[in-house]
Amino acid sequence: MTDLSLIDSPPSDTAPRRVIALDAVRRDDVALVGGKNASLGELMRALGGQGIRVPVGFAVTTDSYRELVESAGLQPKIDDALAAFASGRVDLAATGSSIRALFEDTALPRAVEEEVVASYRALARRRGVADPAVAVRSSATCEDLASASFAGQQESFLNVRGEKALIEACRKCFASLFTDRAIAYRQAKGLADKQWALSIGVQIMVRSDLAGAGVIFTLDPETGFPGVVSISAAWGLGDTIVQGVVDPDMHEVAKGLVCDDRVHPIVGKVRGSKLQKTVLGGEAGQTTALVPTSEHEQACFVLDDDEILQLARWALLIEDHYGQPMDIEWAKDGESGQLFIVQARPETVHSNRRDTPLRSWTLKERGPVLATGVAAGDGIVTGTACVIARPEDADRFRDGTILIAAATDPDWVPLMRRASGIVTDHGGATSHAAIVSRELGIPAIVGTGHGTTTIPDQAQITLACAGSALGTVYAGALPYACEDIAVGTLPETHTDLMLNVADPAQAFRWWRLPSKGVGLARMEFIISSLIKAHPMALAHPDRITGAAVRDQLAALTGEYRDGAEFFIDTLARGLSRIAAAHHPRQVIVRMSDFKSNEYRHLLGGADFEPVEANPMLGFRGASRYYHPSYRDGFALECRALRRAREQFGFDNIIVMIPFCRTPLEADHVLAEMSRHGLQRGDAGLKVYMMCELPSNIVLAEEFAARFDGFSIGSNDLTQLVLGVDRDSELLAAAFDERDRAVTTLIGDVIRRTRACGIRVGLCGEAPSLYPEFAAFLVEQGIDSISLSPERFVPTLASVAAAERAAVHANG
């Protein structure tokens, strides 16, 4: 199989301005070859030597387009049609149709046609085949700009074979400068149609129909977090992802570690359903066909880990070369097994919002859930649902309503611009609906699976994309709040303010806050939300008594070799996603701190958990980790942490032990961790302890000799000092972290711990609820305060004020 990237360019006697070899094109040649071709030529020239492959071919220039328009006298007719549309005498559909007909009914100038054919024959000779398959892709001068992508506004034609078919495809490409969606898009951006021209890229076809294709963003497409590369993948040609026809595989790779050959920092890896794929057509005149995927394809990932990392490294090279976040398309040739870059353009959504306030949305009430899916964009909107089957039914749609559709493609853009929110049955984070919604600033939920059937037409609904990668559609118009945070104006503090994080899906949302890392990452939340099964049930499925539970476990762990590997890999990636959001700043991960009654609710938990009268003071925290009834579950937790630190590369993870009653218990836990490769001090591993029991304070020096830091758990400490059940509504008024008994112990342990030379922080909401409590902690000299992201900004203000007051008091 010939390497597509090594085919020579067309002969040097090709006319320099009608047709130009792609590898002769430069980044600043947009006026001559359009944005897409200019970018591809730039990649071939500048980065080909670093291993990036781009399929070879040639560009039919904008001079050829203008020669066609001028020689056939098309411009006055185009101007008249657009003037009639602008005045309202003719609608958009009729305008676009009439202009496209002008091009499709007009032959290319002889000189243009001859040079296109000569270049195509040169490709055929180099390939050693007659009539090689090529991709014929539009490349407009208004496309792939830093301010607007114009993605999908013009046409592309795949699997074009033969000279006659190529010339016909070129005429249709030129005509597609005036698709309805392209006219509407330029109008929305305030761009005059007469400014623009179109070039065509003709490239050897990458046989991704025999493998797969996808999209890469060099940031998180939902939050704009710049520390990851996001890669989608589906079987067949890439249009199924862009158009949102399939739910693709999704991968996230941590940028800071991607070039370290010692680690594999793939922090996100979600297998999509991939129910369909686009392949080359087998019938006469049919260039492509949409067909079902096999059960095997649906059950497998399109890319292996080495391919994911290779694409991520290429993406970083491209981003570095362009000096800005990028939106990239890739394809894999099923015959050669090689990966190719087939498009690279500036990312246009988050790149243009860097200086805008951080907006925080809060839903004040919940209602019946109608649908869930991937959240595209951040926001909440209420309104009337309008279920639309096809863009031609736009006359049913009222401006400002919420569009509900199976999927969208560029033909839907004029309708999408009129919507206040969008919901689709199909698609992922890089689908057309998701990309366009972000660019338009419209919240959307994609890939709901069945939103068009579960959301009633004309019903009042609430679309919520806030606080999670999961978006939810609720019945009814629910109240919500929105707050803007001017991040650049936030004060700096000597006390480290850190975040409490539980959900890996939210890890990237708060990246713009000036936190010093994560003071509390709750492992048990990841277990309950992502794993959903009891660790011992996964370690010992043979001990499960119920057949139904065994079947559920088998379904849950199906793609893994066993339940243990499912637990380890899922937990390791969840923790790594949180660690990636803050790398290299420290992320303190608390080992699981379920109570026995909470563990029983996990799948298979009833077979392993006792029924306790007082679980809050029972079999929880450190006491579980070395006990025979949970030791094997703790082993899985340790192996997941070790994988996150060593295999994925996140050595910024610190381990924290909760509810450790005695120094002897600490010794047992540390020994158990060492058995599983987590030895305190090895590879820089630090181990902290939750300081939440009176015994932790009474014996502070003994515990400090065993740990690298303390994190005061104000909830449990207050409960145990005052003897108040923190969950009791009757005793709620008596539960107060500001009680003098509690603050006396906190002040005491801060002083004694710091005297031992180890760090001490506090993870709890009291500093965010009571400014005077935050001031007290500052006065006592606490090293860090960790709290929920939503309360970060007001607490930062309280801490800064307390530090200023302390400086003033001390002269």
Side-chain angles (χ1 to χ4, degrees), residues 2-10 20-24 37 40-41 43-45 48 52-59 119-120 122-127 132-137 200-206 333 338-342:
T2 305
D3 184 339
L4 304 187
S5 63
L6 299 179
I7 302 172
D8 292 338
S9 303
I20 301 178
L22 270 184
D23 59 6
N37 286 337
L40 292 174
L43 293 182
M44 297 174 80
R45 178 190 64 83
I52 292 180
R53 302 186 194 93
V54 176
V56 297
F58 55 89
S119 297
Y120 179 67
L123 286 181
R125 287 194 298 272
R126 296 297 182 180
R127 289 283 286 155
V134 292
V136 181
R137 310 173 73 197
I200 300 168
V202 179
Q203 294 174 279
I204 290 293
M205 204 45 207
V206 177
D333 189 273
Q338 292 180 327
L339 295 169
F340 289 84
I341 299 299
V342 295

Side-chain angles (χ1 to χ4, degrees), residues 507-562:
F508 300 157
R509 182 185 178 200
W510 302 101
W511 68 272
R512 293 171 64 190
L513 290 177
S515 73
K516 296 301 192 298
V518 173
L520 175 62
R522 300 181 178 94
M523 181 184 289
E524 64 271 8
F525 187 94
I526 302 175
I527 295 173
S528 63
S529 63
L530 298 183
I531 296 173
K532 302 177 182 178
H534 195 287
M536 290 294 289
L538 294 169
H540 296 288
D542 53 303
R543 299 184 193 175
I544 300 297
T545 57
V549 174
R550 287 197 298 270
D551 291 342
Q552 288 177 277
L553 286 172
L556 188 66
T557 63
E559 67 187 71
Y560 289 88
R561 65 172 180 265
D562 55 34

Side-chain angles (χ1 to χ4, degrees), residues 185-382:
Y185 198 93
R186 290 192 293 269
Q187 183 186 52
K189 294 292 181 180
L191 303 171
D193 290 86
K194 206 167 184 176
Q195 291 177 259
W196 311 115
L198 190 127
S199 169
I200 300 168
V202 179
Q203 294 174 279
I204 290 293
M205 204 45 207
V206 177
R207 293 300 305 272
S208 60
D209 60 303
L210 303 177
V215 177
I216 307 171
F217 284 97
T218 61
L219 45 64
D220 175 49
E222 298 309 323
T223 65
F225 172 58
V228 293
V229 176
S230 177
I231 303 172
S232 62
W235 299 112
L237 304 175
D239 61 329
T240 54
I241 291 182
V242 175
Q243 294 175 12
V245 175
V246 300
D247 300 318
D249 299 336
M250 294 299 303
H251 313 286
E252 293 169 321
V253 185
K255 280 184 181 176
L257 296 168
V258 71
C259 294
D260 187 340
D261 293 336
R262 298 169 299 176
V263 298
H264 285 68
I266 304 172
V267 301
K269 193 172 182 181
V270 178
R271 180 169 55 84
S273 58
K274 308 182 297 294
L275 298 178
Q276 295 175 299
K277 65 178 179 180
T278 301
V279 298
L280 302 187
E283 300 179 9
Q286 183 186 39
T287 58
T288 62
L290 188 65
V291 300
T293 51
S294 67
E295 291 185 3
H296 176 73
E297 289 172 319
Q298 294 166 22
C300 293
F301 284 98
V302 175
L303 296 169
D304 61 32
D305 284 2
D306 288 340
E307 291 169 329
I308 294 168
L309 293 172
Q310 180 178 338
L311 288 174
R313 293 184 186 108
W314 283 3
L316 289 190
L317 287 172
I318 295 170
E319 180 182 58
D320 184 64
H321 179 73
Y322 278 86
Q324 63 189 109
M326 298 295 289
D327 171 356
I328 303 163
E329 295 180 19
W330 64 270
K332 180 178 178 179
D333 189 273
E335 294 180 336
S336 68
Q338 292 180 327
L339 295 169
F340 289 84
I341 299 299
V342 295
Q343 190 160 333
R345 56 184 172 233
E347 191 276 337
T348 59
V349 178
H350 297 286
S351 301
N352 296 325
R353 296 180 183 173
R354 291 300 174 91
D355 297 326
T356 60
L358 176 64
R359 180 161 288 183
S360 176
W361 301 81
T362 304
L363 192 63
K364 294 184 175 181
E365 296 179 10
R366 299 289 193 273
V369 175
L370 300 177
T372 60
V374 175
D378 196 27
I380 300 174
V381 64
T382 63

Side-chain angles (χ1 to χ4, degrees), residues 563-627:
E565 176 59 22
F566 163 71
F567 181 96
I568 294 165
D569 192 61
T570 305
L571 180 56
R573 292 190 197 278
L575 295 173
S576 294
R577 197 173 196 269
I578 295 172
H582 300 272
H583 189 268
R585 298 184 300 276
Q586 65 180 13
V587 171
I588 303 172
V589 176
R590 187 178 69 187
M591 306 300 279
S592 66
D593 193 26
F594 280 132
K595 273 70 77 177
S596 56
N597 59 323
E598 296 169 330
Y599 263 122
R600 285 182 65 85
H601 292 150
L602 296 175
L603 187 62
D607 286 308
F608 296 94
E609 292 298 325
V611 177
E612 296 185 286
N614 190 353
M616 186 72 77
L617 297 179
F619 190 44
R620 61 173 289 200
S623 62
R624 301 180 66 93
Y625 303 154
Y626 58 93
H627 194 280

Side-chain angles (χ1 to χ4, degrees), residues 498-735:
M498 306 176 75
L499 299 178
N500 294 342
V501 179
D503 185 0
Q506 296 189 53
F508 300 157
R509 182 185 178 200
W510 302 101
W511 68 272
R512 293 171 64 190
L513 290 177
S515 73
K516 296 301 192 298
V518 173
L520 175 62
R522 300 181 178 94
M523 181 184 289
E524 64 271 8
F525 187 94
I526 302 175
I527 295 173
S528 63
S529 63
L530 298 183
I531 296 173
K532 302 177 182 178
H534 195 287
M536 290 294 289
L538 294 169
H540 296 288
D542 53 303
R543 299 184 193 175
I544 300 297
T545 57
V549 174
R550 287 197 298 270
D551 291 342
Q552 288 177 277
L553 286 172
L556 188 66
T557 63
E559 67 187 71
Y560 289 88
R561 65 172 180 265
D562 55 34
E565 176 59 22
F566 163 71
F567 181 96
I568 294 165
D569 192 61
T570 305
L571 180 56
R573 292 190 197 278
L575 295 173
S576 294
R577 197 173 196 269
I578 295 172
H582 300 272
H583 189 268
R585 298 184 300 276
Q586 65 180 13
V587 171
I588 303 172
V589 176
R590 187 178 69 187
M591 306 300 279
S592 66
D593 193 26
F594 280 132
K595 273 70 77 177
S596 56
N597 59 323
E598 296 169 330
Y599 263 122
R600 285 182 65 85
H601 292 150
L602 296 175
L603 187 62
D607 286 308
F608 296 94
E609 292 298 325
V611 177
E612 296 185 286
N614 190 353
M616 186 72 77
L617 297 179
F619 190 44
R620 61 173 289 200
S623 62
R624 301 180 66 93
Y625 303 154
Y626 58 93
H627 194 280
S629 65
Y630 189 74
R631 174 179 284 170
D632 291 345
F634 184 65
L636 299 184
E637 295 182 26
C638 291
R639 291 169 63 188
L641 273 165
R642 186 175 179 184
R643 180 173 296 184
R645 282 180 52 86
E646 298 178 9
Q647 182 175 324
F648 297 158
F650 294 100
D651 56 7
N652 59 323
I653 290 176
I654 294 172
V655 178
M656 185 156 67
I657 305 301
F659 224 77
C660 187
R661 293 176 169 96
T662 67
L664 179 60
E665 188 163 72
D667 292 337
H668 289 323
V669 172
L670 292 171
E672 198 69 22
M673 290 174 57
S674 296
R675 288 183 58 229
H676 304 292
L678 291 178
Q679 174 67 47
R680 179 187 170 206
D682 283 359
L685 175 64
K686 293 182 179 180
V687 184
Y688 281 20
M689 182 193 78
M690 288 289 295
C691 181
E692 54 192 342
L693 305 172
S695 63
N696 300 150
I697 300 174
V698 172
L699 303 177
E701 287 80 7
E702 292 187 46
F703 282 107
R706 292 163 168 82
F707 294 98
D708 299 292
F710 284 3
S711 183
I712 300 169
S714 57
N715 287 338
D716 270 333
L717 183 61
T718 301
Q719 173 178 243
L720 295 170
V721 169
L722 299 181
V724 175
D725 183 350
R726 73 187 199 194
D727 292 335
S728 172
E729 295 180 6
L730 296 174
L731 299 176
F735 186 92

